[in-house]
Amino acid sequence: MSKLPIFPLTARVSNQGHLIVGGCDTVELATEFGTPLYIFDEFSLRSKCTEFREQFGRRYKNILIIYAAKAFINRALALILNEEGLGLDVVSGGELGIAQSVGFPLDRVYFHGNNKSAEEIRLALKWRVGRIVVDNFYELAMLDKMANEQGYIPDILLRLSPGVDPHTHKYIATGVVDSKFGFPLSSGEEAIAQAMSASNLNLVGLDFHLGSLIFDAEPYQQAIELIVNLAAEMKDKYGFELKELNVGGGFAIQYSLDSPAPPVSLYAEVITSKIVSKCRELKLILPRLIIEPGRAIVGQAGVALYKVGVVKDIPGIRCYVSVDGGMADNIRPALYGAKYEAVVANKLLEKEAGEVTIAGKFCESGDIIVKGINLPPVSAGDIIAIPSCGAYCLPLASNYNASLKPAVTLVKEGKVRLIRQRETFDDLTRCDLV
Ligand code: LLP
């Protein structure tokens, strides 16, 4: 079965058997920019933005799509997202600073975080971010006080943890009862009452985020049911108006041939129909809907390229193909047991010759990128391309073994643009004091 459909939408094979993305030959890109190299396909990126806008927009009028910056953000990407009319979910002063540095409209920024610092809150208030998503009682009190000091009343959402199991890896399930994120549903009433009576805060709605890589849309329905029920109760009791409902992100993408992801249209249908029916049943006005996709926007657009070095065959055991990157630029296999596909980018027309394991170059036995994959004969100098690397690889990258974080390029219609340069040895010592 062809692996091309997991690669960016523009992926094709050249006559020479090279992987082409965005009209650029990936083997040439690897030579020009060095490896490991991350490439992003601008067409795939923008198509996903359009797909979310259209699929949700045609079913629900009042909607804002905000991209979850934690999946990957840099200045060039922030500019593209702005052109696409998306908002931004940030979780730190750093992400907020990147957005601000390119003039991203901060009224479309939602500020999340389970332990925002006073400095971060001060910055968010000073820069008038669109919404502060309040996570807990401590933050609620601190924000009220700081807003008073700054003489500015921010619009806020309250993040609730609905206690719904999203059936994903436990490290990326967030909306369960035992979670560090959000007000447990059982204290939702108290949170709403406190927020409504805080004189320096304007409560506009509620928020939940169930987790990430959720292949099943049903948990969203369960959570909407619980949160909208609570909103209706709070309306009766305190006159609370649910003007805005943020259902978070978590939409899955395909990483391997045997785990296809549902289309965006399915999530859109399930989520919007549930909100409409529930609000109708409880006689509530339809709130503005916010969704926060991260992975589903950038995941497929990104490809990681590595160069093969050592090929070590242990007869009867395993053949290790070692490449020049690994867990420092993609920790997901080691951290979550994430499964990836791979191709030899310069040998796409050659037949598979047997199973190999693609290993990284870092000093950990767990530094394996793909365990057991059928590839054509691989030798030193070949270029390995891994699809679905656009989300959560670079943001989780480290300088382990004093390695240099990779260069990042953007490809479009045969043109390439460097959007982040490879780190240098100077970067490694820049903050050191002797
Ligand atoms: N909104 C909130 C409040 C979030 O915490 C997240 C992700 C998102 C939206 C976006 O979720 P997405 O649409 O990307 O699934 N490092 C992990 C994923 C961590 C997700 C953290 N929160 C991974 O590599 O799988």
Side-chain angles (χ1 to χ4, degrees), residues 66-71 89 91 112-113 159 171-172 174 181 207-209 211-214 220 246 248-252 255 291-297 332 335-336 338 340 391-393 396:
I66 64 177
Y67 168 72
K70 71 210 79 173
D89 144 16
V91 284
H112 276 276
R159 175 165 179 174
Y171 289 2
I172 52 179
T174 47
F181 297 105
D207 169 290
F208 66 83
H209 171 73
S212 198
L213 205 55
I214 303 173
Y220 293 93
N246 183 341
F251 315 110
Y255 280 92
I291 57 162
E292 295 176 336
R295 188 189 318 266
I297 299 277
R332 299 193 68 262
L335 191 56
Y336 313 112
Y340 284 90
Y392 300 111
C393 294
L396 285 166

mmCIF file of all heavy atoms in Angstrom, residues 66-71 89 91 112-113 159 171-172 174 181 207-209 211-214 220 246 248-252 255 291-297 332 335-336 338 340 391-393 396, ligand 1:
data_model
loop_
_atom_site.group_PDB
_atom_site.id
_atom_site.type_symbol
_atom_site.label_atom_id
_atom_site.label_comp_id
_atom_site.label_asym_id
_atom_site.label_seq_id
_atom_site.Cartn_x
_atom_site.Cartn_y
_atom_site.Cartn_z
ATOM 1 N N ILE A 66 -9.278 28.479 16.579
ATOM 2 C CA ILE A 66 -8.000 28.981 17.077
ATOM 3 C C ILE A 66 -7.000 27.832 17.056
ATOM 4 O O ILE A 66 -7.295 26.713 17.455
ATOM 5 C CB ILE A 66 -8.118 29.651 18.467
ATOM 6 C CG1 ILE A 66 -8.545 28.688 19.555
ATOM 7 C CG2 ILE A 66 -9.090 30.805 18.438
ATOM 8 C CD1 ILE A 66 -8.587 29.343 20.931
ATOM 9 N N TYR A 67 -5.834 28.126 16.519
ATOM 10 C CA TYR A 67 -4.786 27.108 16.372
ATOM 11 C C TYR A 67 -4.030 26.976 17.697
ATOM 12 O O TYR A 67 -3.644 27.981 18.315
ATOM 13 C CB TYR A 67 -3.830 27.543 15.247
ATOM 14 C CG TYR A 67 -2.577 26.721 15.200
ATOM 15 C CD1 TYR A 67 -2.602 25.401 14.751
ATOM 16 C CD2 TYR A 67 -1.347 27.244 15.617
ATOM 17 C CE1 TYR A 67 -1.444 24.635 14.720
ATOM 18 C CE2 TYR A 67 -0.190 26.489 15.576
ATOM 19 C CZ TYR A 67 -0.255 25.186 15.125
ATOM 20 O OH TYR A 67 0.889 24.431 15.102
ATOM 21 N N ALA A 68 -3.813 25.740 18.126
ATOM 22 C CA ALA A 68 -3.093 25.487 19.381
ATOM 23 C C ALA A 68 -1.590 25.578 19.115
ATOM 24 O O ALA A 68 -0.979 24.660 18.567
ATOM 25 C CB ALA A 68 -3.466 24.119 19.942
ATOM 26 N N ALA A 69 -1.009 26.692 19.537
ATOM 27 C CA ALA A 69 0.383 26.995 19.193
ATOM 28 C C ALA A 69 1.357 25.939 19.705
ATOM 29 O O ALA A 69 2.435 25.762 19.141
ATOM 30 C CB ALA A 69 0.760 28.360 19.765
ATOM 31 N N LYS A 70 0.976 25.216 20.768
ATOM 32 C CA LYS A 70 1.914 24.229 21.321
ATOM 33 C C LYS A 70 2.260 23.151 20.318
ATOM 34 O O LYS A 70 3.296 22.490 20.429
ATOM 35 C CB LYS A 70 1.349 23.626 22.616
ATOM 36 C CG LYS A 70 0.186 22.697 22.426
ATOM 37 C CD LYS A 70 -0.749 22.725 23.606
ATOM 38 C CE LYS A 70 -1.624 23.965 23.500
ATOM 39 N NZ LYS A 70 -2.686 24.060 24.476
ATOM 40 N N ALA A 71 1.419 22.931 19.305
ATOM 41 C CA ALA A 71 1.708 21.889 18.314
ATOM 42 C C ALA A 71 2.928 22.250 17.473
ATOM 43 O O ALA A 71 3.640 21.366 16.991
ATOM 44 C CB ALA A 71 0.498 21.663 17.408
ATOM 45 N N ASP A 89 -4.336 29.713 20.346
ATOM 46 C CA ASP A 89 -4.344 29.282 21.746
ATOM 47 C C ASP A 89 -2.895 29.264 22.206
ATOM 48 O O ASP A 89 -2.073 28.576 21.610
ATOM 49 C CB ASP A 89 -5.032 27.904 21.815
ATOM 50 C CG ASP A 89 -4.440 26.929 22.838
ATOM 51 O OD1 ASP A 89 -3.698 27.346 23.733
ATOM 52 O OD2 ASP A 89 -4.753 25.728 22.729
ATOM 53 N N VAL A 91 -0.130 29.032 25.625
ATOM 54 C CA VAL A 91 -0.076 28.536 27.007
ATOM 55 C C VAL A 91 1.106 29.101 27.776
ATOM 56 O O VAL A 91 1.432 28.600 28.844
ATOM 57 C CB VAL A 91 0.044 26.999 27.082
ATOM 58 C CG1 VAL A 91 -1.246 26.324 26.795
ATOM 59 C CG2 VAL A 91 1.162 26.485 26.212
ATOM 60 N N HIS A 112 -4.272 30.047 27.728
ATOM 61 C CA HIS A 112 -4.497 28.875 28.574
ATOM 62 C C HIS A 112 -3.353 28.696 29.571
ATOM 63 O O HIS A 112 -2.351 29.393 29.505
ATOM 64 C CB HIS A 112 -4.497 27.622 27.687
ATOM 65 C CG HIS A 112 -5.806 27.323 27.039
ATOM 66 N ND1 HIS A 112 -6.799 26.635 27.670
ATOM 67 C CD2 HIS A 112 -6.272 27.600 25.800
ATOM 68 C CE1 HIS A 112 -7.829 26.496 26.838
ATOM 69 N NE2 HIS A 112 -7.544 27.085 25.699
ATOM 70 N N GLY A 113 -3.461 27.671 30.396
ATOM 71 C CA GLY A 113 -2.357 27.292 31.278
ATOM 72 C C GLY A 113 -2.869 26.960 32.654
ATOM 73 O O GLY A 113 -3.757 27.645 33.171
ATOM 74 N N ARG A 159 -12.166 27.075 32.517
ATOM 75 C CA ARG A 159 -11.896 25.738 31.993
ATOM 76 C C ARG A 159 -12.391 24.696 32.988
ATOM 77 O O ARG A 159 -11.960 24.655 34.139
ATOM 78 C CB ARG A 159 -10.400 25.537 31.759
ATOM 79 C CG ARG A 159 -10.102 24.105 31.334
ATOM 80 C CD ARG A 159 -8.732 23.958 30.760
ATOM 81 N NE ARG A 159 -8.451 22.584 30.392
ATOM 82 C CZ ARG A 159 -7.366 22.194 29.767
ATOM 83 N NH1 ARG A 159 -6.457 23.088 29.433
ATOM 84 N NH2 ARG A 159 -7.169 20.926 29.464
ATOM 85 N N TYR A 171 -0.942 10.058 28.929
ATOM 86 C CA TYR A 171 -0.178 11.310 29.038
ATOM 87 C C TYR A 171 -0.884 12.462 28.323
ATOM 88 O O TYR A 171 -0.546 13.618 28.552
ATOM 89 C CB TYR A 171 1.215 11.157 28.410
ATOM 90 C CG TYR A 171 2.179 10.292 29.172
ATOM 91 C CD1 TYR A 171 1.810 9.636 30.342
ATOM 92 C CD2 TYR A 171 3.485 10.126 28.724
ATOM 93 C CE1 TYR A 171 2.697 8.841 31.022
ATOM 94 C CE2 TYR A 171 4.387 9.329 29.401
ATOM 95 C CZ TYR A 171 3.989 8.684 30.548
ATOM 96 O OH TYR A 171 4.869 7.897 31.211
ATOM 97 N N ILE A 172 -1.778 12.148 27.387
ATOM 98 C CA ILE A 172 -2.420 13.234 26.638
ATOM 99 C C ILE A 172 -3.938 13.262 26.823
ATOM 100 O O ILE A 172 -4.665 13.802 26.011
ATOM 101 C CB ILE A 172 -2.003 13.231 25.136
ATOM 102 C CG1 ILE A 172 -2.205 11.860 24.494
ATOM 103 C CG2 ILE A 172 -0.573 13.686 24.970
ATOM 104 C CD1 ILE A 172 -1.843 11.815 23.005
ATOM 105 N N THR A 174 -6.712 14.870 29.150
ATOM 106 C CA THR A 174 -6.692 16.010 30.076
ATOM 107 C C THR A 174 -8.032 16.270 30.760
ATOM 108 O O THR A 174 -8.064 16.826 31.842
ATOM 109 C CB THR A 174 -6.290 17.302 29.329
ATOM 110 O OG1 THR A 174 -7.043 17.367 28.131
ATOM 111 C CG2 THR A 174 -4.832 17.319 28.999
ATOM 112 N N PHE A 181 -5.555 19.829 35.079
ATOM 113 C CA PHE A 181 -6.151 20.925 34.311
ATOM 114 C C PHE A 181 -7.600 21.205 34.702
ATOM 115 O O PHE A 181 -8.411 20.278 34.795
ATOM 116 C CB PHE A 181 -6.135 20.600 32.816
ATOM 117 C CG PHE A 181 -4.763 20.450 32.234
ATOM 118 C CD1 PHE A 181 -4.266 19.187 31.934
ATOM 119 C CD2 PHE A 181 -3.968 21.556 31.984
ATOM 120 C CE1 PHE A 181 -2.996 19.037 31.389
ATOM 121 C CE2 PHE A 181 -2.696 21.415 31.443
ATOM 122 C CZ PHE A 181 -2.212 20.150 31.151
ATOM 123 N N ASP A 207 -15.146 26.412 28.955
ATOM 124 C CA ASP A 207 -14.137 25.780 28.106
ATOM 125 C C ASP A 207 -13.864 24.380 28.637
ATOM 126 O O ASP A 207 -13.885 24.152 29.841
ATOM 127 C CB ASP A 207 -12.865 26.652 28.217
ATOM 128 C CG ASP A 207 -11.622 26.018 27.626
ATOM 129 O OD1 ASP A 207 -11.098 25.039 28.189
ATOM 130 O OD2 ASP A 207 -11.149 26.530 26.606
ATOM 131 N N PHE A 208 -13.642 23.450 27.727
ATOM 132 C CA PHE A 208 -13.056 22.162 28.139
ATOM 133 C C PHE A 208 -12.121 21.686 27.048
ATOM 134 O O PHE A 208 -12.221 22.101 25.902
ATOM 135 C CB PHE A 208 -14.135 21.114 28.458
ATOM 136 C CG PHE A 208 -14.966 20.671 27.272
ATOM 137 C CD1 PHE A 208 -14.515 19.692 26.393
ATOM 138 C CD2 PHE A 208 -16.226 21.217 27.039
ATOM 139 C CE1 PHE A 208 -15.282 19.274 25.311
ATOM 140 C CE2 PHE A 208 -17.009 20.811 25.958
ATOM 141 C CZ PHE A 208 -16.524 19.834 25.087
ATOM 142 N N HIS A 209 -11.196 20.831 27.421
ATOM 143 C CA HIS A 209 -10.315 20.188 26.434
ATOM 144 C C HIS A 209 -10.125 18.754 26.917
ATOM 145 O O HIS A 209 -9.650 18.530 28.021
ATOM 146 C CB HIS A 209 -8.980 20.929 26.341
ATOM 147 C CG HIS A 209 -7.968 20.199 25.507
ATOM 148 N ND1 HIS A 209 -8.057 20.119 24.135
ATOM 149 C CD2 HIS A 209 -6.875 19.482 25.851
ATOM 150 C CE1 HIS A 209 -7.046 19.398 23.676
ATOM 151 N NE2 HIS A 209 -6.321 19.001 24.701
ATOM 152 N N GLY A 211 -8.378 16.108 25.547
ATOM 153 C CA GLY A 211 -7.099 15.425 25.359
ATOM 154 C C GLY A 211 -6.704 15.549 23.911
ATOM 155 O O GLY A 211 -7.274 16.347 23.163
ATOM 156 N N SER A 212 -5.739 14.746 23.510
ATOM 157 C CA SER A 212 -5.208 14.889 22.164
ATOM 158 C C SER A 212 -5.239 13.542 21.455
ATOM 159 O O SER A 212 -5.261 12.497 22.104
ATOM 160 C CB SER A 212 -3.763 15.398 22.290
ATOM 161 O OG SER A 212 -3.321 15.938 21.081
ATOM 162 N N LEU A 213 -5.210 13.588 20.139
ATOM 163 C CA LEU A 213 -5.240 12.377 19.307
ATOM 164 C C LEU A 213 -6.468 11.517 19.646
ATOM 165 O O LEU A 213 -6.376 10.337 19.972
ATOM 166 C CB LEU A 213 -3.939 11.580 19.498
ATOM 167 C CG LEU A 213 -3.504 10.662 18.349
ATOM 168 C CD1 LEU A 213 -3.399 11.427 17.050
ATOM 169 C CD2 LEU A 213 -2.183 9.988 18.647
ATOM 170 N N ILE A 214 -7.636 12.163 19.574
ATOM 171 C CA ILE A 214 -8.905 11.501 19.901
ATOM 172 C C ILE A 214 -9.534 11.020 18.589
ATOM 173 O O ILE A 214 -9.926 11.831 17.749
ATOM 174 C CB ILE A 214 -9.841 12.476 20.640
ATOM 175 C CG1 ILE A 214 -9.144 12.999 21.904
ATOM 176 C CG2 ILE A 214 -11.161 11.804 20.985
ATOM 177 C CD1 ILE A 214 -9.896 14.096 22.619
ATOM 178 N N TYR A 220 -16.693 14.015 22.792
ATOM 179 C CA TYR A 220 -17.073 15.433 22.705
ATOM 180 C C TYR A 220 -18.553 15.597 23.033
ATOM 181 O O TYR A 220 -18.950 16.549 23.703
ATOM 182 C CB TYR A 220 -16.796 15.995 21.297
ATOM 183 C CG TYR A 220 -15.327 16.085 20.942
ATOM 184 C CD1 TYR A 220 -14.688 15.048 20.271
ATOM 185 C CD2 TYR A 220 -14.577 17.209 21.285
ATOM 186 C CE1 TYR A 220 -13.331 15.129 19.941
ATOM 187 C CE2 TYR A 220 -13.228 17.298 20.965
ATOM 188 C CZ TYR A 220 -12.621 16.252 20.293
ATOM 189 O OH TYR A 220 -11.288 16.333 19.981
ATOM 190 N N ASN A 246 -15.990 26.789 24.414
ATOM 191 C CA ASN A 246 -14.751 26.329 23.774
ATOM 192 C C ASN A 246 -14.617 24.824 24.036
ATOM 193 O O ASN A 246 -14.497 24.401 25.185
ATOM 194 C CB ASN A 246 -13.573 27.105 24.372
ATOM 195 C CG ASN A 246 -12.258 26.744 23.713
ATOM 196 O OD1 ASN A 246 -12.125 25.706 23.070
ATOM 197 N ND2 ASN A 246 -11.264 27.597 23.879
ATOM 198 N N GLY A 248 -12.211 22.875 22.860
ATOM 199 C CA GLY A 248 -10.831 22.405 22.808
ATOM 200 C C GLY A 248 -10.437 21.816 21.463
ATOM 201 O O GLY A 248 -11.104 21.989 20.438
ATOM 202 N N GLY A 249 -9.308 21.094 21.493
ATOM 203 C CA GLY A 249 -8.794 20.459 20.267
ATOM 204 C C GLY A 249 -8.824 18.953 20.436
ATOM 205 O O GLY A 249 -9.741 18.417 21.045
ATOM 206 N N GLY A 250 -7.808 18.299 19.879
ATOM 207 C CA GLY A 250 -7.707 16.845 20.065
ATOM 208 C C GLY A 250 -7.998 16.020 18.830
ATOM 209 O O GLY A 250 -7.961 14.791 18.884
ATOM 210 N N PHE A 251 -8.287 16.671 17.705
ATOM 211 C CA PHE A 251 -8.692 15.947 16.493
ATOM 212 C C PHE A 251 -7.511 15.147 15.930
ATOM 213 O O PHE A 251 -6.412 15.678 15.758
ATOM 214 C CB PHE A 251 -9.248 16.944 15.466
ATOM 215 C CG PHE A 251 -10.201 17.925 16.104
ATOM 216 C CD1 PHE A 251 -9.868 19.258 16.251
ATOM 217 C CD2 PHE A 251 -11.403 17.486 16.643
ATOM 218 C CE1 PHE A 251 -10.715 20.155 16.898
ATOM 219 C CE2 PHE A 251 -12.273 18.371 17.288
ATOM 220 C CZ PHE A 251 -11.921 19.708 17.415
ATOM 221 N N ALA A 252 -7.779 13.885 15.638
ATOM 222 C CA ALA A 252 -6.692 12.958 15.295
ATOM 223 C C ALA A 252 -6.196 13.150 13.865
ATOM 224 O O ALA A 252 -6.897 13.706 13.015
ATOM 225 C CB ALA A 252 -7.170 11.523 15.486
ATOM 226 N N TYR A 255 -1.090 8.582 11.441
ATOM 227 C CA TYR A 255 0.361 8.417 11.538
ATOM 228 C C TYR A 255 0.826 7.162 10.807
ATOM 229 O O TYR A 255 1.888 7.136 10.223
ATOM 230 C CB TYR A 255 0.793 8.305 13.004
ATOM 231 C CG TYR A 255 0.871 9.641 13.701
ATOM 232 C CD1 TYR A 255 -0.214 10.157 14.399
ATOM 233 C CD2 TYR A 255 2.033 10.401 13.659
ATOM 234 C CE1 TYR A 255 -0.145 11.381 15.033
ATOM 235 C CE2 TYR A 255 2.126 11.629 14.294
ATOM 236 C CZ TYR A 255 1.026 12.111 14.980
ATOM 237 O OH TYR A 255 1.112 13.336 15.601
ATOM 238 N N ILE A 291 -13.114 26.247 18.596
ATOM 239 C CA ILE A 291 -12.388 24.963 18.588
ATOM 240 C C ILE A 291 -10.896 25.256 18.474
ATOM 241 O O ILE A 291 -10.491 26.269 17.907
ATOM 242 C CB ILE A 291 -12.836 24.020 17.446
ATOM 243 C CG1 ILE A 291 -12.670 24.679 16.091
ATOM 244 C CG2 ILE A 291 -14.259 23.544 17.645
ATOM 245 C CD1 ILE A 291 -12.682 23.679 14.970
ATOM 246 N N GLU A 292 -10.102 24.324 18.998
ATOM 247 C CA GLU A 292 -8.663 24.576 19.123
ATOM 248 C C GLU A 292 -7.807 23.481 18.507
ATOM 249 O O GLU A 292 -7.045 22.816 19.219
ATOM 250 C CB GLU A 292 -8.281 24.665 20.603
ATOM 251 C CG GLU A 292 -8.879 25.826 21.333
ATOM 252 C CD GLU A 292 -8.541 25.815 22.816
ATOM 253 O OE1 GLU A 292 -8.252 24.736 23.373
ATOM 254 O OE2 GLU A 292 -8.578 26.893 23.415
ATOM 255 N N PRO A 293 -7.881 23.239 17.218
ATOM 256 C CA PRO A 293 -7.043 22.185 16.642
ATOM 257 C C PRO A 293 -5.573 22.599 16.607
ATOM 258 O O PRO A 293 -5.264 23.749 16.294
ATOM 259 C CB PRO A 293 -7.586 22.058 15.211
ATOM 260 C CG PRO A 293 -8.169 23.398 14.900
ATOM 261 C CD PRO A 293 -8.679 23.954 16.211
ATOM 262 N N GLY A 294 -4.706 21.694 16.947
ATOM 263 C CA GLY A 294 -3.262 21.931 16.807
ATOM 264 C C GLY A 294 -2.715 20.928 15.804
ATOM 265 O O GLY A 294 -2.458 21.242 14.642
ATOM 266 N N ARG A 295 -2.634 19.680 16.278
ATOM 267 C CA ARG A 295 -2.085 18.606 15.460
ATOM 268 C C ARG A 295 -2.754 18.502 14.082
ATOM 269 O O ARG A 295 -2.079 18.316 13.070
ATOM 270 C CB ARG A 295 -2.291 17.282 16.211
ATOM 271 C CG ARG A 295 -1.610 16.098 15.571
ATOM 272 C CD ARG A 295 -2.053 14.785 16.242
ATOM 273 N NE ARG A 295 -2.144 14.826 17.670
ATOM 274 C CZ ARG A 295 -1.166 14.467 18.516
ATOM 275 N NH1 ARG A 295 -0.030 14.011 18.054
ATOM 276 N NH2 ARG A 295 -1.346 14.531 19.823
ATOM 277 N N ALA A 296 -4.090 18.639 14.056
ATOM 278 C CA ALA A 296 -4.815 18.433 12.801
ATOM 279 C C ALA A 296 -4.519 19.524 11.776
ATOM 280 O O ALA A 296 -4.741 19.343 10.590
ATOM 281 C CB ALA A 296 -6.316 18.351 13.077
ATOM 282 N N ILE A 297 -3.996 20.669 12.220
ATOM 283 C CA ILE A 297 -3.643 21.733 11.270
ATOM 284 C C ILE A 297 -2.233 21.515 10.700
ATOM 285 O O ILE A 297 -2.012 21.587 9.500
ATOM 286 C CB ILE A 297 -3.703 23.133 11.948
ATOM 287 C CG1 ILE A 297 -5.118 23.439 12.450
ATOM 288 C CG2 ILE A 297 -3.185 24.231 11.011
ATOM 289 C CD1 ILE A 297 -6.083 23.973 11.431
ATOM 290 N N ARG A 332 8.537 11.672 20.427
ATOM 291 C CA ARG A 332 7.221 11.051 20.532
ATOM 292 C C ARG A 332 7.251 9.515 20.582
ATOM 293 O O ARG A 332 6.520 8.922 21.380
ATOM 294 C CB ARG A 332 6.292 11.552 19.418
ATOM 295 C CG ARG A 332 6.063 13.079 19.485
ATOM 296 C CD ARG A 332 4.927 13.563 18.605
ATOM 297 N NE ARG A 332 3.643 13.105 19.093
ATOM 298 C CZ ARG A 332 2.993 12.068 18.641
ATOM 299 N NH1 ARG A 332 3.478 11.360 17.625
ATOM 300 N NH2 ARG A 332 1.846 11.700 19.169
ATOM 301 N N LEU A 335 8.452 8.714 24.118
ATOM 302 C CA LEU A 335 7.580 9.213 25.191
ATOM 303 C C LEU A 335 6.193 8.560 25.194
ATOM 304 O O LEU A 335 5.645 8.257 26.245
ATOM 305 C CB LEU A 335 7.444 10.737 25.051
ATOM 306 C CG LEU A 335 6.802 11.508 26.194
ATOM 307 C CD1 LEU A 335 7.521 11.266 27.506
ATOM 308 C CD2 LEU A 335 6.825 13.010 25.885
ATOM 309 N N TYR A 336 5.633 8.376 24.011
ATOM 310 C CA TYR A 336 4.256 7.861 23.947
ATOM 311 C C TYR A 336 4.158 6.521 23.229
ATOM 312 O O TYR A 336 3.054 6.048 22.952
ATOM 313 C CB TYR A 336 3.338 8.820 23.169
ATOM 314 C CG TYR A 336 3.433 10.273 23.545
ATOM 315 C CD1 TYR A 336 3.961 11.202 22.663
ATOM 316 C CD2 TYR A 336 2.963 10.724 24.782
ATOM 317 C CE1 TYR A 336 4.040 12.544 22.991
ATOM 318 C CE2 TYR A 336 3.040 12.066 25.110
ATOM 319 C CZ TYR A 336 3.581 12.964 24.215
ATOM 320 O OH TYR A 336 3.647 14.298 24.547
ATOM 321 N N ALA A 338 4.761 6.323 20.163
ATOM 322 C CA ALA A 338 4.132 6.746 18.898
ATOM 323 C C ALA A 338 4.697 5.949 17.725
ATOM 324 O O ALA A 338 5.896 5.685 17.659
ATOM 325 C CB ALA A 338 4.386 8.236 18.680
ATOM 326 N N TYR A 340 5.327 5.585 13.650
ATOM 327 C CA TYR A 340 5.491 6.365 12.416
ATOM 328 C C TYR A 340 5.734 5.447 11.231
ATOM 329 O O TYR A 340 6.246 4.340 11.384
ATOM 330 C CB TYR A 340 6.685 7.319 12.547
ATOM 331 C CG TYR A 340 6.404 8.538 13.390
ATOM 332 C CD1 TYR A 340 6.641 8.525 14.761
ATOM 333 C CD2 TYR A 340 5.912 9.698 12.819
ATOM 334 C CE1 TYR A 340 6.382 9.642 15.544
ATOM 335 C CE2 TYR A 340 5.648 10.822 13.594
ATOM 336 C CZ TYR A 340 5.884 10.782 14.952
ATOM 337 O OH TYR A 340 5.627 11.901 15.719
ATOM 338 N N ALA A 391 3.487 18.136 13.872
ATOM 339 C CA ALA A 391 2.987 18.531 15.195
ATOM 340 C C ALA A 391 3.774 17.868 16.318
ATOM 341 O O ALA A 391 4.045 16.668 16.266
ATOM 342 C CB ALA A 391 1.507 18.141 15.323
ATOM 343 N N TYR A 392 4.114 18.656 17.334
ATOM 344 C CA TYR A 392 4.692 18.163 18.581
ATOM 345 C C TYR A 392 6.048 17.475 18.440
ATOM 346 O O TYR A 392 6.478 16.801 19.375
ATOM 347 C CB TYR A 392 3.711 17.227 19.317
ATOM 348 C CG TYR A 392 2.410 17.900 19.682
ATOM 349 C CD1 TYR A 392 1.222 17.543 19.063
ATOM 350 C CD2 TYR A 392 2.380 18.918 20.624
ATOM 351 C CE1 TYR A 392 0.026 18.170 19.372
ATOM 352 C CE2 TYR A 392 1.191 19.552 20.947
ATOM 353 C CZ TYR A 392 0.021 19.176 20.322
ATOM 354 O OH TYR A 392 -1.161 19.796 20.639
ATOM 355 N N CYS A 393 6.735 17.607 17.310
ATOM 356 C CA CYS A 393 8.122 17.122 17.245
ATOM 357 C C CYS A 393 9.033 18.284 17.623
ATOM 358 O O CYS A 393 9.704 18.238 18.656
ATOM 359 C CB CYS A 393 8.462 16.598 15.852
ATOM 360 S SG CYS A 393 7.532 15.127 15.406
ATOM 361 N N LEU A 396 8.798 19.866 21.154
ATOM 362 C CA LEU A 396 9.319 19.011 22.223
ATOM 363 C C LEU A 396 10.805 18.728 22.029
ATOM 364 O O LEU A 396 11.396 17.947 22.770
ATOM 365 C CB LEU A 396 8.560 17.670 22.247
ATOM 366 C CG LEU A 396 7.139 17.671 22.816
ATOM 367 C CD1 LEU A 396 6.415 16.378 22.457
ATOM 368 C CD2 LEU A 396 7.169 17.818 24.328
HETATM 369 N N1 LLP B 1 -6.317 23.028 23.522
HETATM 370 C C1 LLP B 1 -5.733 22.729 24.682
HETATM 371 C C2 LLP B 1 -6.193 23.375 25.913
HETATM 372 C C3 LLP B 1 -4.675 21.797 24.709
HETATM 373 O O1 LLP B 1 -4.093 21.497 25.857
HETATM 374 C C4 LLP B 1 -4.252 21.189 23.505
HETATM 375 C C5 LLP B 1 -3.166 20.212 23.493
HETATM 376 C C6 LLP B 1 -4.901 21.556 22.306
HETATM 377 C C7 LLP B 1 -5.938 22.474 22.355
HETATM 378 C C8 LLP B 1 -4.509 20.999 20.969
HETATM 379 O O2 LLP B 1 -4.670 19.622 20.882
HETATM 380 P P1 LLP B 1 -4.484 18.905 19.453
HETATM 381 O O3 LLP B 1 -5.564 19.421 18.565
HETATM 382 O O4 LLP B 1 -3.142 19.258 18.962
HETATM 383 O O5 LLP B 1 -4.587 17.461 19.768
HETATM 384 N N2 LLP B 1 2.671 16.330 22.988
HETATM 385 C C9 LLP B 1 1.541 15.467 22.753
HETATM 386 C C10 LLP B 1 0.271 16.249 22.616
HETATM 387 C C11 LLP B 1 0.011 17.178 23.786
HETATM 388 C C12 LLP B 1 -1.264 17.976 23.622
HETATM 389 C C13 LLP B 1 -1.341 19.063 24.633
HETATM 390 N N3 LLP B 1 -2.514 19.879 24.545
HETATM 391 C C14 LLP B 1 1.822 14.606 21.525
HETATM 392 O O6 LLP B 1 2.898 14.736 20.944
HETATM 393 O O7 LLP B 1 1.021 13.771 21.152
#
